[in-house]
Amino acid sequence: MQYIEMLIEYFNKWAFVYVGLYGYDYKTAGKNVMGLFNGRGWSTVISHSLVQKAMFTVSLCIGLVTGLVAAVAVSMLELIADGDGDGAASTAVAW
């Protein structure tokens, strides 16, 4: 059991962030992350996936902004259209 805990100490996704931020090797980054989390009482953070929730929120915001831009583009194209009334041509161009 102690061997598994040692492996978890070295191989966690937060260590990869430390490698990217500070340039440590992976083993040192794993030890530093565990030391940081244990020192601040955040050891349960490792078991939760905060990164996935943040990425979902960012993806959702990007999708909403893209939809808003598309809606504005369609409405602008309908104003520019030659007035046939149905807006099918401008909608097709926007897609």
Side-chain angles (χ1 to χ4, degrees):
M1 188 62 139
Q2 187 177 10
Y3 184 71
I4 293 173
E5 289 177 8
M6 186 182 73
L7 286 176
I8 291 173
E9 180 177 323
Y10 290 123
F11 300 107
N12 60 62
K13 61 185 171 186
W14 300 102
F16 188 69
V17 173
Y18 244 59
V19 168
L21 287 175
Y22 300 110
Y24 294 130
D25 63 293
Y26 199 79
K27 183 179 177 182
T28 305
K31 280 187 143 315
N32 288 344
V33 167
M34 289 305 292
L36 174 71
F37 283 173
N38 288 333
R40 298 201 179 194
W42 294 355
S43 56
T44 57
V45 171
I46 292 175
S47 64
H48 296 291
S49 179
L50 299 177
V51 173
Q52 290 176 351
K53 291 178 184 178
M55 291 301 291
F56 172 75
T57 304
V58 168
S59 298
L60 184 65
C61 290
I62 289 172
L64 290 173
V65 168
T66 303
L68 180 65
V69 168
V72 168
V74 167
S75 66
M76 294 300 288
L77 286 173
E78 286 178 355
L79 289 174
I80 295 172
D82 55 343
D84 60 354
D86 65 354
S90 60
T91 305
V93 170
W95 282 103

